């Protein structure tokens, strides 16, 4: 991995470009999966907690494309963010 990073010196890190948005994704996913059942709650936490070290490549791609398509505003709309959350949920399922 370090060798690959050395080859990409000066290139933008796609994960850093949407880092804040990715961090907030797990909260949105957990909100979608709210449950009063402790086992389901624990499963949602296990699979969708970004602290778990998941790369979240698919939602990163959705968010990067969203930023690119939004042009000068560079923001990500709530519906685009929801699409990234759903993409990660489908991948995990």
């Amino acid at each position: 991995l370090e060798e690959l990073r050395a080859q990409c010196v000066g290139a933008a890190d796609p994960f850093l470009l949407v880092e804040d948005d990715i961090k907030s994704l797990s909260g949105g996913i957990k909100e979608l999966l709210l449950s009063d059942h402790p086992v389901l709650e624990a499963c949602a936490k296990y699979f969708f907690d970004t602290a778990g070290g998941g790369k979240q490549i698919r939602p990163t791609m959705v968010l990067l494309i969203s930023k690119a398509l939004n042009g000068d505003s560079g923001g990500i709309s709530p519906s685009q963010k929801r699409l990234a959350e759903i993409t990660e949920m489908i991948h995990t399922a």
Side-chain angles (χ1 to χ4, degrees), residues 61-77 80 83:
M61 289 189 297
V62 170
L63 295 174
L64 288 169
I65 291 168
S66 298
K67 277 184 169 269
L69 292 175
N70 290 342
D72 290 337
S73 71
I76 296 171
S77 72
Q80 291 168 325
L83 178 60

Side-chain angles (χ1 to χ4, degrees), residues 13 34 63 76 78 89:
D13 184 339
L34 280 178
L63 295 174
I76 296 171
M89 289 172 64

Side-chain angles (χ1 to χ4, degrees), residues 1 4 35 43 46 49 55-57 64 73 78 89-90:
L1 185 59
L4 182 59
S35 173
C43 286
Y46 175 79
D49 194 356
K55 296 179 296 292
Q56 298 191 327
I57 291 172
L64 288 169
S73 71
M89 289 172 64
I90 291 170

Side-chain angles (χ1 to χ4, degrees), residues 9 11 16 20 26 36 40 43 53 57 66 70 85:
V9 171
L16 289 178
D20 293 337
S26 92
D36 291 335
L40 293 177
C43 286
I57 291 172
S66 298
N70 290 342
E85 292 168 344

Side-chain angles (χ1 to χ4, degrees), residues 3-14 16-17:
E3 182 180 324
L4 182 59
R5 284 183 195 231
Q7 293 173 4
C8 296
V9 171
D13 184 339
L16 289 178
L17 293 173

